[in-house]
Each structure stands twice: as structure tokens, then as C-alpha cells.
Amino acid sequence: CHINEKKYFLESVHAPVMKAGKFSECISCHGNHGVKPADKILYRETCTQCHEKTSPPAQLGEKLFQFMSESEGELKEATEWVRQASIQGIFVEEEAGILEETKTNAISMEPVQHSLSLERISKLYEKLREDARAIKASIQKKKQVLRWRKLALIPIWAFVVVMALALWFKYKQLKGKH
């Protein structure tokens, strides 16, 4: 069912152990009849069943957990920035496009994590984080430009009001002469 997950699993350090019959491909981490849903918490729950909490493999699991958690947070934050900016009337088509690409990168992290490759996951995470921060920076810049535009309207409206008052006084002055 999970072709990509299997592909990456076969590249992991668990593959040789599985081939030796000491590790079950999916069941060892996800359980058997009560299959645990694919969730980052499995790194904390299952790694320590075979590895000591302070061991390098358990620390790798913790680092992968952190990358997955932080990716989730970065994606949620970027999504909220785009949503809020859209509500405020800011054009966010470009940022929405980047957000869709970022979501795709987040989805691609799911099967890759089965490789247990910190290098691969960290590259995907860094790209996701970079894109999420680019979205935030772009929207912040657009908000700042919008603020400046609104501030620039103040002298224009002040000029319009002064001119309207001046015309009104001139009208009253001319009307008084006749």
C-alpha cells in the first residue's frame, strides 16, 4: 500500500535488521492489529522500546520528531498569515502559491522520514521553513506598504478638506457681495 514509505524504509538502518529477521518492517513501529496512525509521536513511543533514551538511535528519533513538529508549526503559521492577509484585503496570490508548494514539501516529508535520514529530512525541513518565512516576510512587507499608503492619504485628505473649506468661504464671500 505504501510504496514510497517502503522504498525509504529499505534505505534505512532498520532494513538490514529486518532482512535478518530481527525487525518487522511496519509492525515494529506501527504495531500489528491496532495499527497506530502515522504520527510523529511514534518517534517518542516506539524508538525507546528498542533503544535507550540516551542512545544515538533514540536521539535521532527525537530529532526527527522535532523536525516533523516544527514543520507542522511552520506550515500552520504560514497558512494563518496567508488567511489573515487575505481577510484584510491584501492580495496574496503569490504567497498562496508558495504555501501550496510548502504543503507539498510537508507531504513529501511523510514517506522520506522512513529512511531515518536526518540529512534528507533536515533538507526538506529547511526548505519548508525557508518558504514559510518567505511567506511571512512578504506579507509583512505588503502590510507595511499598505500602512504607508494609508498614511500618505492623510495629507491628501487634509488638502481636499482645506480646498473644500477655501471654496466654501470663497462661495460665501462671493454670495455676500451680491
Side-chain angles (χ1 to χ4, degrees), residues 14-69:
H14 287 152
V17 182
M18 181 216 37
K19 288 177 184 172
K22 298 177 182 176
F23 188 89
S24 179
E25 187 175 341
C26 301
I27 296 170
S28 292
C29 295
H30 294 280
N32 192 356
H33 293 289
V35 177
K36 296 178 184 175
D39 190 293
K40 62 191 173 296
I41 198 69
L42 288 176
Y43 286 114
R44 288 191 167 160
E45 292 177 352
T46 59
C47 292
T48 55
Q49 290 177 1
C50 299
H51 304 285
E52 292 292 322
K53 283 187 177 186
T54 57
S55 69
Q59 294 302 310
L60 171 64
E62 181 60 29
K63 191 67 178 168
L64 291 171
F65 172 83
Q66 289 172 0
F67 278 138
M68 299 306 287
S69 295

Side-chain angles (χ1 to χ4, degrees), residues 3-165:
I3 296 168
N4 285 330
E5 286 80 353
K6 181 172 181 141
K7 174 187 146 200
Y8 288 112
F9 172 81
L10 292 174
E11 296 174 9
S12 77
V13 295
H14 287 152
V17 182
M18 181 216 37
K19 288 177 184 172
K22 298 177 182 176
F23 188 89
S24 179
E25 187 175 341
C26 301
I27 296 170
S28 292
C29 295
H30 294 280
N32 192 356
H33 293 289
V35 177
K36 296 178 184 175
D39 190 293
K40 62 191 173 296
I41 198 69
L42 288 176
Y43 286 114
R44 288 191 167 160
E45 292 177 352
T46 59
C47 292
T48 55
Q49 290 177 1
C50 299
H51 304 285
E52 292 292 322
K53 283 187 177 186
T54 57
S55 69
Q59 294 302 310
L60 171 64
E62 181 60 29
K63 191 67 178 168
L64 291 171
F65 172 83
Q66 289 172 0
F67 278 138
M68 299 306 287
S69 295
E70 290 173 19
S71 296
E72 193 176 279
E74 294 277 352
L75 186 59
K76 282 181 182 178
E77 184 179 1
T79 301
E80 186 59 22
W81 272 87
V82 170
R83 189 182 76 74
Q84 284 295 325
S86 177
I87 289 169
Q88 295 170 358
I90 297 172
F91 295 109
V92 290
E93 288 78 17
E94 183 180 332
E95 293 80 6
I98 296 169
L99 181 61
E100 287 306 311
E101 185 179 321
T102 305
K103 288 177 183 177
T104 300
N105 288 337
I107 291 168
S108 71
M109 288 176 77
E110 297 292 330
V112 174
Q113 67 181 315
H114 288 81
S115 70
L116 301 178
S117 170
L118 194 58
E119 181 182 343
R120 281 182 172 167
I121 292 292
S122 66
K123 282 182 183 178
L124 290 169
Y125 167 70
E126 288 302 324
K127 175 70 173 131
L128 185 146
R129 190 170 84 166
E130 178 183 306
D131 288 346
R133 290 183 178 177
I135 289 168
K136 183 178 176 180
S138 177
I139 290 173
Q140 284 176 325
K141 184 177 179 182
K142 286 181 177 183
K143 284 183 176 185
Q144 185 64 33
V145 167
L146 191 59
R147 275 188 219 106
W148 282 109
R149 285 182 180 176
K150 287 178 181 178
L151 288 174
L153 287 175
I154 293 171
I156 293 170
W157 279 107
F159 176 76
V160 168
V161 168
V162 168
M163 291 305 294
L165 287 172

